[in-house]
Amino acid sequence: MDCLFCKIIAKQIPVDLIYENEKVVAFLDINPVNPGHLLVVPKVHSENIAVAADDDLIALTLAVKKLAPAVCAVTACDGWNLEVNNGNAAGQAIDHTHWHIVPRRKDDGFKHWPGHPYAAGEAAKIIALIRENLMS
Ligand code: 5GP
Ligand code: ZN
């Protein structure tokens, strides 16, 4: 399989690992949003959260809990984003599950996505559809 993150995990492509345990690795994003931007990646290949093993998702969460405060402390961040892009339309470029830890500063200039209120009846429809889908 031609997967960049599998190659990094297999040490076929050198990278300075910041953290490693039985389930996950973490390393710097090569093209950071802000310095200290980390990628946390399960060792076992899966394409995205929807198909990743539950154990790997638990391990990712625990690794983020450990890593984010360390990144934040050394970058003197004011907050941090946990970003997960699922699917190419959502910005996923590497089809191996990975979570971004992005340290943020109050003055870094990045804006959150714009929100738009629902039209009348639109929210009720989508609520019903999602509930129905969850039950099928
Ligand atoms: P995605 O857009 O799939 O959520 O994020 C992929 C991330 O991987 C991007 O932020 C990109 O900068 C990073 N990336 C791509 N190639 C490499 C690489 O060879 N090494 C490292 N460390 N990061 C990479
Ligand atoms: Zn992979």
Side-chain angles (χ1 to χ4, degrees), residues 64-99:
V64 167
K65 185 178 176 185
K66 187 180 183 71
L67 289 163
V71 172
C72 213
V74 302
T75 58
C77 81
D78 300 310
W80 51 278
N81 288 111
L82 176 61
E83 189 192 349
V84 187
N85 302 323
N86 291 285
N88 296 151
Q92 184 175 10
I94 310 244
D95 290 333
H96 180 132
T97 304
H98 58 282
W99 295 3

PDB file of all heavy atoms in Angstrom, residues 64-99:
ATOM      1  N   VAL A  64      -3.571  12.627  22.641  1.00  0.00           N
ATOM      2  CA  VAL A  64      -3.847  14.065  22.520  1.00  0.00           C
ATOM      3  C   VAL A  64      -3.892  14.703  23.905  1.00  0.00           C
ATOM      4  O   VAL A  64      -3.336  15.785  24.135  1.00  0.00           O
ATOM      5  CB  VAL A  64      -5.179  14.308  21.762  1.00  0.00           C
ATOM      6  CG1 VAL A  64      -5.633  15.758  21.894  1.00  0.00           C
ATOM      7  CG2 VAL A  64      -5.023  13.924  20.290  1.00  0.00           C
ATOM      8  N   LYS A  65      -4.530  14.014  24.834  1.00  0.00           N
ATOM      9  CA  LYS A  65      -4.633  14.539  26.211  1.00  0.00           C
ATOM     10  C   LYS A  65      -3.246  14.750  26.816  1.00  0.00           C
ATOM     11  O   LYS A  65      -3.018  15.686  27.580  1.00  0.00           O
ATOM     12  CB  LYS A  65      -5.458  13.558  27.055  1.00  0.00           C
ATOM     13  CG  LYS A  65      -5.748  14.029  28.440  1.00  0.00           C
ATOM     14  CD  LYS A  65      -6.598  13.030  29.194  1.00  0.00           C
ATOM     15  CE  LYS A  65      -6.806  13.486  30.628  1.00  0.00           C
ATOM     16  NZ  LYS A  65      -7.518  12.476  31.405  1.00  0.00           N
ATOM     17  N   LYS A  66      -2.318  13.875  26.481  1.00  0.00           N
ATOM     18  CA  LYS A  66      -0.956  13.976  27.016  1.00  0.00           C
ATOM     19  C   LYS A  66      -0.130  15.027  26.248  1.00  0.00           C
ATOM     20  O   LYS A  66       0.604  15.810  26.834  1.00  0.00           O
ATOM     21  CB  LYS A  66      -0.297  12.595  26.865  1.00  0.00           C
ATOM     22  CG  LYS A  66       1.054  12.437  27.495  1.00  0.00           C
ATOM     23  CD  LYS A  66       1.547  10.997  27.239  1.00  0.00           C
ATOM     24  CE  LYS A  66       2.873  10.735  27.905  1.00  0.00           C
ATOM     25  NZ  LYS A  66       2.766  10.643  29.364  1.00  0.00           N
ATOM     26  N   LEU A  67      -0.268  15.016  24.925  1.00  0.00           N
ATOM     27  CA  LEU A  67       0.621  15.823  24.087  1.00  0.00           C
ATOM     28  C   LEU A  67       0.220  17.306  24.035  1.00  0.00           C
ATOM     29  O   LEU A  67       1.095  18.179  24.026  1.00  0.00           O
ATOM     30  CB  LEU A  67       0.634  15.266  22.653  1.00  0.00           C
ATOM     31  CG  LEU A  67       1.345  13.927  22.487  1.00  0.00           C
ATOM     32  CD1 LEU A  67       0.953  13.262  21.176  1.00  0.00           C
ATOM     33  CD2 LEU A  67       2.866  14.130  22.543  1.00  0.00           C
ATOM     34  N   ALA A  68      -1.082  17.582  23.966  1.00  0.00           N
ATOM     35  CA  ALA A  68      -1.509  18.967  23.742  1.00  0.00           C
ATOM     36  C   ALA A  68      -1.015  19.916  24.846  1.00  0.00           C
ATOM     37  O   ALA A  68      -0.497  20.994  24.535  1.00  0.00           O
ATOM     38  CB  ALA A  68      -3.025  19.047  23.577  1.00  0.00           C
ATOM     39  N   PRO A  69      -1.114  19.534  26.130  1.00  0.00           N
ATOM     40  CA  PRO A  69      -0.592  20.448  27.155  1.00  0.00           C
ATOM     41  C   PRO A  69       0.918  20.688  27.020  1.00  0.00           C
ATOM     42  O   PRO A  69       1.397  21.792  27.290  1.00  0.00           O
ATOM     43  CB  PRO A  69      -0.922  19.728  28.472  1.00  0.00           C
ATOM     44  CG  PRO A  69      -2.067  18.837  28.133  1.00  0.00           C
ATOM     45  CD  PRO A  69      -1.814  18.387  26.727  1.00  0.00           C
ATOM     46  N   ALA A  70       1.664  19.665  26.581  1.00  0.00           N
ATOM     47  CA  ALA A  70       3.112  19.838  26.412  1.00  0.00           C
ATOM     48  C   ALA A  70       3.406  20.809  25.270  1.00  0.00           C
ATOM     49  O   ALA A  70       4.244  21.715  25.391  1.00  0.00           O
ATOM     50  CB  ALA A  70       3.769  18.476  26.150  1.00  0.00           C
ATOM     51  N   VAL A  71       2.695  20.618  24.156  1.00  0.00           N
ATOM     52  CA  VAL A  71       2.879  21.524  23.009  1.00  0.00           C
ATOM     53  C   VAL A  71       2.519  22.939  23.423  1.00  0.00           C
ATOM     54  O   VAL A  71       3.231  23.907  23.126  1.00  0.00           O
ATOM     55  CB  VAL A  71       1.976  21.083  21.824  1.00  0.00           C
ATOM     56  CG1 VAL A  71       1.996  22.118  20.716  1.00  0.00           C
ATOM     57  CG2 VAL A  71       2.399  19.725  21.294  1.00  0.00           C
ATOM     58  N   CYS A  72       1.398  23.053  24.133  1.00  0.00           N
ATOM     59  CA  CYS A  72       0.907  24.371  24.536  1.00  0.00           C
ATOM     60  C   CYS A  72       1.900  25.049  25.483  1.00  0.00           C
ATOM     61  O   CYS A  72       2.180  26.245  25.350  1.00  0.00           O
ATOM     62  CB  CYS A  72      -0.446  24.196  25.206  1.00  0.00           C
ATOM     63  SG  CYS A  72      -1.536  25.566  24.922  1.00  0.00           S
ATOM     64  N   ALA A  73       2.461  24.272  26.400  1.00  0.00           N
ATOM     65  CA  ALA A  73       3.399  24.859  27.366  1.00  0.00           C
ATOM     66  C   ALA A  73       4.633  25.412  26.658  1.00  0.00           C
ATOM     67  O   ALA A  73       5.077  26.518  26.955  1.00  0.00           O
ATOM     68  CB  ALA A  73       3.799  23.802  28.396  1.00  0.00           C
ATOM     69  N   VAL A  74       5.181  24.667  25.721  1.00  0.00           N
ATOM     70  CA  VAL A  74       6.446  25.107  25.117  1.00  0.00           C
ATOM     71  C   VAL A  74       6.235  26.165  24.036  1.00  0.00           C
ATOM     72  O   VAL A  74       7.177  26.848  23.659  1.00  0.00           O
ATOM     73  CB  VAL A  74       7.287  23.929  24.574  1.00  0.00           C
ATOM     74  CG1 VAL A  74       7.590  22.927  25.667  1.00  0.00           C
ATOM     75  CG2 VAL A  74       6.640  23.260  23.382  1.00  0.00           C
ATOM     76  N   THR A  75       5.008  26.298  23.545  1.00  0.00           N
ATOM     77  CA  THR A  75       4.759  27.332  22.535  1.00  0.00           C
ATOM     78  C   THR A  75       4.020  28.528  23.148  1.00  0.00           C
ATOM     79  O   THR A  75       3.644  29.451  22.432  1.00  0.00           O
ATOM     80  CB  THR A  75       3.911  26.773  21.359  1.00  0.00           C
ATOM     81  OG1 THR A  75       2.672  26.272  21.864  1.00  0.00           O
ATOM     82  CG2 THR A  75       4.652  25.686  20.614  1.00  0.00           C
ATOM     83  N   ALA A  76       3.815  28.480  24.462  1.00  0.00           N
ATOM     84  CA  ALA A  76       3.077  29.545  25.170  1.00  0.00           C
ATOM     85  C   ALA A  76       1.764  29.843  24.456  1.00  0.00           C
ATOM     86  O   ALA A  76       1.420  30.997  24.213  1.00  0.00           O
ATOM     87  CB  ALA A  76       3.936  30.808  25.292  1.00  0.00           C
ATOM     88  N   CYS A  77       1.037  28.782  24.121  1.00  0.00           N
ATOM     89  CA  CYS A  77      -0.192  29.004  23.360  1.00  0.00           C
ATOM     90  C   CYS A  77      -1.317  29.452  24.293  1.00  0.00           C
ATOM     91  O   CYS A  77      -1.267  29.241  25.507  1.00  0.00           O
ATOM     92  CB  CYS A  77      -0.577  27.755  22.551  1.00  0.00           C
ATOM     93  SG  CYS A  77      -1.431  26.476  23.466  1.00  0.00           S
ATOM     94  N   ASP A  78      -2.323  30.079  23.701  1.00  0.00           N
ATOM     95  CA  ASP A  78      -3.504  30.525  24.448  1.00  0.00           C
ATOM     96  C   ASP A  78      -4.626  29.499  24.372  1.00  0.00           C
ATOM     97  O   ASP A  78      -5.620  29.602  25.087  1.00  0.00           O
ATOM     98  CB  ASP A  78      -4.011  31.853  23.868  1.00  0.00           C
ATOM     99  CG  ASP A  78      -2.954  32.943  23.949  1.00  0.00           C
ATOM    100  OD1 ASP A  78      -2.389  33.140  25.031  1.00  0.00           O
ATOM    101  OD2 ASP A  78      -2.679  33.585  22.913  1.00  0.00           O
ATOM    102  N   GLY A  79      -4.470  28.512  23.488  1.00  0.00           N
ATOM    103  CA  GLY A  79      -5.470  27.471  23.276  1.00  0.00           C
ATOM    104  C   GLY A  79      -4.973  26.566  22.159  1.00  0.00           C
ATOM    105  O   GLY A  79      -3.884  26.792  21.617  1.00  0.00           O
ATOM    106  N   TRP A  80      -5.736  25.553  21.859  1.00  0.00           N
ATOM    107  CA  TRP A  80      -5.310  24.675  20.761  1.00  0.00           C
ATOM    108  C   TRP A  80      -6.524  24.040  20.107  1.00  0.00           C
ATOM    109  O   TRP A  80      -7.564  23.870  20.738  1.00  0.00           O
ATOM    110  CB  TRP A  80      -4.327  23.598  21.247  1.00  0.00           C
ATOM    111  CG  TRP A  80      -4.777  22.827  22.451  1.00  0.00           C
ATOM    112  CD1 TRP A  80      -4.666  23.224  23.758  1.00  0.00           C
ATOM    113  CD2 TRP A  80      -5.432  21.559  22.476  1.00  0.00           C
ATOM    114  NE1 TRP A  80      -5.213  22.270  24.592  1.00  0.00           N
ATOM    115  CE2 TRP A  80      -5.691  21.231  23.843  1.00  0.00           C
ATOM    116  CE3 TRP A  80      -5.823  20.642  21.496  1.00  0.00           C
ATOM    117  CZ2 TRP A  80      -6.313  20.050  24.231  1.00  0.00           C
ATOM    118  CZ3 TRP A  80      -6.445  19.454  21.885  1.00  0.00           C
ATOM    119  CH2 TRP A  80      -6.680  19.171  23.233  1.00  0.00           C
ATOM    120  N   ASN A  81      -6.368  23.760  18.836  1.00  0.00           N
ATOM    121  CA  ASN A  81      -7.417  23.057  18.100  1.00  0.00           C
ATOM    122  C   ASN A  81      -7.011  21.609  17.899  1.00  0.00           C
ATOM    123  O   ASN A  81      -5.850  21.309  17.599  1.00  0.00           O
ATOM    124  CB  ASN A  81      -7.632  23.673  16.704  1.00  0.00           C
ATOM    125  CG  ASN A  81      -8.316  25.016  16.750  1.00  0.00           C
ATOM    126  OD1 ASN A  81      -7.716  26.041  16.450  1.00  0.00           O
ATOM    127  ND2 ASN A  81      -9.568  25.025  17.136  1.00  0.00           N
ATOM    128  N   LEU A  82      -8.005  20.725  18.048  1.00  0.00           N
ATOM    129  CA  LEU A  82      -7.858  19.341  17.603  1.00  0.00           C
ATOM    130  C   LEU A  82      -8.610  19.282  16.287  1.00  0.00           C
ATOM    131  O   LEU A  82      -9.824  19.469  16.247  1.00  0.00           O
ATOM    132  CB  LEU A  82      -8.477  18.391  18.624  1.00  0.00           C
ATOM    133  CG  LEU A  82      -8.473  16.916  18.246  1.00  0.00           C
ATOM    134  CD1 LEU A  82      -7.048  16.398  18.070  1.00  0.00           C
ATOM    135  CD2 LEU A  82      -9.194  16.090  19.302  1.00  0.00           C
ATOM    136  N   GLU A  83      -7.867  19.065  15.202  1.00  0.00           N
ATOM    137  CA  GLU A  83      -8.499  19.121  13.891  1.00  0.00           C
ATOM    138  C   GLU A  83      -8.426  17.750  13.242  1.00  0.00           C
ATOM    139  O   GLU A  83      -7.368  17.110  13.253  1.00  0.00           O
ATOM    140  CB  GLU A  83      -7.811  20.157  13.004  1.00  0.00           C
ATOM    141  CG  GLU A  83      -8.578  20.391  11.718  1.00  0.00           C
ATOM    142  CD  GLU A  83      -7.801  21.177  10.675  1.00  0.00           C
ATOM    143  OE1 GLU A  83      -6.739  21.732  10.996  1.00  0.00           O
ATOM    144  OE2 GLU A  83      -8.259  21.185   9.523  1.00  0.00           O
ATOM    145  N   VAL A  84      -9.534  17.316  12.711  1.00  0.00           N
ATOM    146  CA  VAL A  84      -9.582  16.016  12.027  1.00  0.00           C
ATOM    147  C   VAL A  84     -10.305  16.206  10.711  1.00  0.00           C
ATOM    148  O   VAL A  84     -11.486  16.557  10.689  1.00  0.00           O
ATOM    149  CB  VAL A  84     -10.322  14.960  12.877  1.00  0.00           C
ATOM    150  CG1 VAL A  84     -10.190  13.595  12.223  1.00  0.00           C
ATOM    151  CG2 VAL A  84      -9.798  14.915  14.298  1.00  0.00           C
ATOM    152  N   ASN A  85      -9.601  16.008   9.614  1.00  0.00           N
ATOM    153  CA  ASN A  85     -10.209  16.121   8.298  1.00  0.00           C
ATOM    154  C   ASN A  85     -10.596  14.723   7.829  1.00  0.00           C
ATOM    155  O   ASN A  85      -9.746  13.836   7.760  1.00  0.00           O
ATOM    156  CB  ASN A  85      -9.209  16.748   7.313  1.00  0.00           C
ATOM    157  CG  ASN A  85      -8.736  18.117   7.770  1.00  0.00           C
ATOM    158  OD1 ASN A  85      -9.516  18.878   8.320  1.00  0.00           O
ATOM    159  ND2 ASN A  85      -7.467  18.421   7.570  1.00  0.00           N
ATOM    160  N   ASN A  86     -11.851  14.532   7.547  1.00  0.00           N
ATOM    161  CA  ASN A  86     -12.327  13.216   7.105  1.00  0.00           C
ATOM    162  C   ASN A  86     -12.856  13.321   5.687  1.00  0.00           C
ATOM    163  O   ASN A  86     -13.882  13.953   5.445  1.00  0.00           O
ATOM    164  CB  ASN A  86     -13.433  12.710   8.033  1.00  0.00           C
ATOM    165  CG  ASN A  86     -12.881  12.361   9.408  1.00  0.00           C
ATOM    166  OD1 ASN A  86     -12.229  11.352   9.583  1.00  0.00           O
ATOM    167  ND2 ASN A  86     -13.129  13.215  10.375  1.00  0.00           N
ATOM    168  N   GLY A  87     -12.132  12.717   4.755  1.00  0.00           N
ATOM    169  CA  GLY A  87     -12.537  12.759   3.344  1.00  0.00           C
ATOM    170  C   GLY A  87     -11.872  13.928   2.641  1.00  0.00           C
ATOM    171  O   GLY A  87     -11.604  14.976   3.239  1.00  0.00           O
ATOM    172  N   ASN A  88     -11.591  13.737   1.373  1.00  0.00           N
ATOM    173  CA  ASN A  88     -10.873  14.762   0.607  1.00  0.00           C
ATOM    174  C   ASN A  88     -11.642  16.089   0.570  1.00  0.00           C
ATOM    175  O   ASN A  88     -11.033  17.160   0.626  1.00  0.00           O
ATOM    176  CB  ASN A  88     -10.579  14.264  -0.807  1.00  0.00           C
ATOM    177  CG  ASN A  88      -9.641  13.049  -0.804  1.00  0.00           C
ATOM    178  OD1 ASN A  88      -9.690  12.221  -1.694  1.00  0.00           O
ATOM    179  ND2 ASN A  88      -8.797  12.922   0.213  1.00  0.00           N
ATOM    180  N   ALA A  89     -12.974  16.031   0.512  1.00  0.00           N
ATOM    181  CA  ALA A  89     -13.774  17.266   0.457  1.00  0.00           C
ATOM    182  C   ALA A  89     -13.632  18.069   1.746  1.00  0.00           C
ATOM    183  O   ALA A  89     -13.842  19.280   1.759  1.00  0.00           O
ATOM    184  CB  ALA A  89     -15.246  16.929   0.216  1.00  0.00           C
ATOM    185  N   ALA A  90     -13.256  17.392   2.830  1.00  0.00           N
ATOM    186  CA  ALA A  90     -13.078  18.058   4.123  1.00  0.00           C
ATOM    187  C   ALA A  90     -11.614  18.396   4.377  1.00  0.00           C
ATOM    188  O   ALA A  90     -11.243  18.791   5.479  1.00  0.00           O
ATOM    189  CB  ALA A  90     -13.626  17.171   5.235  1.00  0.00           C
ATOM    190  N   GLY A  91     -10.770  18.234   3.350  1.00  0.00           N
ATOM    191  CA  GLY A  91      -9.368  18.629   3.479  1.00  0.00           C
ATOM    192  C   GLY A  91      -8.414  17.505   3.824  1.00  0.00           C
ATOM    193  O   GLY A  91      -7.240  17.755   4.097  1.00  0.00           O
ATOM    194  N   GLN A  92      -8.894  16.247   3.817  1.00  0.00           N
ATOM    195  CA  GLN A  92      -7.987  15.133   4.124  1.00  0.00           C
ATOM    196  C   GLN A  92      -7.133  14.836   2.892  1.00  0.00           C
ATOM    197  O   GLN A  92      -7.647  14.440   1.847  1.00  0.00           O
ATOM    198  CB  GLN A  92      -8.770  13.874   4.539  1.00  0.00           C
ATOM    199  CG  GLN A  92      -7.844  12.727   4.949  1.00  0.00           C
ATOM    200  CD  GLN A  92      -8.593  11.498   5.484  1.00  0.00           C
ATOM    201  OE1 GLN A  92      -9.823  11.421   5.383  1.00  0.00           O
ATOM    202  NE2 GLN A  92      -7.848  10.559   6.025  1.00  0.00           N
ATOM    203  N   ALA A  93      -5.822  15.044   3.040  1.00  0.00           N
ATOM    204  CA  ALA A  93      -4.898  14.804   1.927  1.00  0.00           C
ATOM    205  C   ALA A  93      -4.249  13.433   2.055  1.00  0.00           C
ATOM    206  O   ALA A  93      -3.872  12.824   1.050  1.00  0.00           O
ATOM    207  CB  ALA A  93      -3.831  15.896   1.886  1.00  0.00           C
ATOM    208  N   ILE A  94      -4.059  12.963   3.285  1.00  0.00           N
ATOM    209  CA  ILE A  94      -3.401  11.672   3.524  1.00  0.00           C
ATOM    210  C   ILE A  94      -4.450  10.710   4.065  1.00  0.00           C
ATOM    211  O   ILE A  94      -5.015  10.938   5.146  1.00  0.00           O
ATOM    212  CB  ILE A  94      -2.259  11.834   4.543  1.00  0.00           C
ATOM    213  CG1 ILE A  94      -1.376  12.986   4.112  1.00  0.00           C
ATOM    214  CG2 ILE A  94      -1.520  10.505   4.742  1.00  0.00           C
ATOM    215  CD1 ILE A  94       0.000  12.762   3.751  1.00  0.00           C
ATOM    216  N   ASP A  95      -4.685   9.651   3.339  1.00  0.00           N
ATOM    217  CA  ASP A  95      -5.787   8.744   3.679  1.00  0.00           C
ATOM    218  C   ASP A  95      -5.378   7.694   4.718  1.00  0.00           C
ATOM    219  O   ASP A  95      -5.570   6.489   4.525  1.00  0.00           O
ATOM    220  CB  ASP A  95      -6.335   8.091   2.404  1.00  0.00           C
ATOM    221  CG  ASP A  95      -7.078   9.103   1.538  1.00  0.00           C
ATOM    222  OD1 ASP A  95      -7.602  10.100   2.089  1.00  0.00           O
ATOM    223  OD2 ASP A  95      -7.120   8.927   0.306  1.00  0.00           O
ATOM    224  N   HIS A  96      -4.757   8.153   5.776  1.00  0.00           N
ATOM    225  CA  HIS A  96      -4.430   7.337   6.946  1.00  0.00           C
ATOM    226  C   HIS A  96      -4.888   8.181   8.132  1.00  0.00           C
ATOM    227  O   HIS A  96      -4.421   9.318   8.292  1.00  0.00           O
ATOM    228  CB  HIS A  96      -2.914   7.058   6.982  1.00  0.00           C
ATOM    229  CG  HIS A  96      -2.428   6.226   8.135  1.00  0.00           C
ATOM    230  ND1 HIS A  96      -1.576   5.147   7.957  1.00  0.00           N
ATOM    231  CD2 HIS A  96      -2.625   6.332   9.467  1.00  0.00           C
ATOM    232  CE1 HIS A  96      -1.288   4.615   9.135  1.00  0.00           C
ATOM    233  NE2 HIS A  96      -1.907   5.332  10.076  1.00  0.00           N
ATOM    234  N   THR A  97      -5.781   7.640   8.947  1.00  0.00           N
ATOM    235  CA  THR A  97      -6.340   8.397  10.075  1.00  0.00           C
ATOM    236  C   THR A  97      -5.248   9.196  10.800  1.00  0.00           C
ATOM    237  O   THR A  97      -4.196   8.645  11.126  1.00  0.00           O
ATOM    238  CB  THR A  97      -6.986   7.419  11.088  1.00  0.00           C
ATOM    239  OG1 THR A  97      -7.964   6.636  10.402  1.00  0.00           O
ATOM    240  CG2 THR A  97      -7.641   8.157  12.246  1.00  0.00           C
ATOM    241  N   HIS A  98      -5.506  10.464  11.017  1.00  0.00           N
ATOM    242  CA  HIS A  98      -4.548  11.279  11.791  1.00  0.00           C
ATOM    243  C   HIS A  98      -5.269  12.489  12.336  1.00  0.00           C
ATOM    244  O   HIS A  98      -6.199  12.995  11.733  1.00  0.00           O
ATOM    245  CB  HIS A  98      -3.354  11.709  10.931  1.00  0.00           C
ATOM    246  CG  HIS A  98      -3.737  12.485   9.716  1.00  0.00           C
ATOM    247  ND1 HIS A  98      -4.228  11.897   8.582  1.00  0.00           N
ATOM    248  CD2 HIS A  98      -3.717  13.820   9.471  1.00  0.00           C
ATOM    249  CE1 HIS A  98      -4.495  12.822   7.672  1.00  0.00           C
ATOM    250  NE2 HIS A  98      -4.200  14.003   8.181  1.00  0.00           N
ATOM    251  N   TRP A  99      -4.835  12.906  13.500  1.00  0.00           N
ATOM    252  CA  TRP A  99      -5.421  14.067  14.164  1.00  0.00           C
ATOM    253  C   TRP A  99      -4.337  15.144  14.293  1.00  0.00           C
ATOM    254  O   TRP A  99      -3.185  14.845  14.609  1.00  0.00           O
ATOM    255  CB  TRP A  99      -5.944  13.694  15.555  1.00  0.00           C
ATOM    256  CG  TRP A  99      -7.082  12.712  15.518  1.00  0.00           C
ATOM    257  CD1 TRP A  99      -7.637  12.105  14.420  1.00  0.00           C
ATOM    258  CD2 TRP A  99      -7.803  12.215  16.649  1.00  0.00           C
ATOM    259  NE1 TRP A  99      -8.659  11.276  14.811  1.00  0.00           N
ATOM    260  CE2 TRP A  99      -8.786  11.319  16.166  1.00  0.00           C
ATOM    261  CE3 TRP A  99      -7.717  12.446  18.018  1.00  0.00           C
ATOM    262  CZ2 TRP A  99      -9.669  10.647  17.016  1.00  0.00           C
ATOM    263  CZ3 TRP A  99      -8.594  11.787  18.862  1.00  0.00           C
ATOM    264  CH2 TRP A  99      -9.566  10.899  18.364  1.00  0.00           C
TER     265      TRP A  99
END
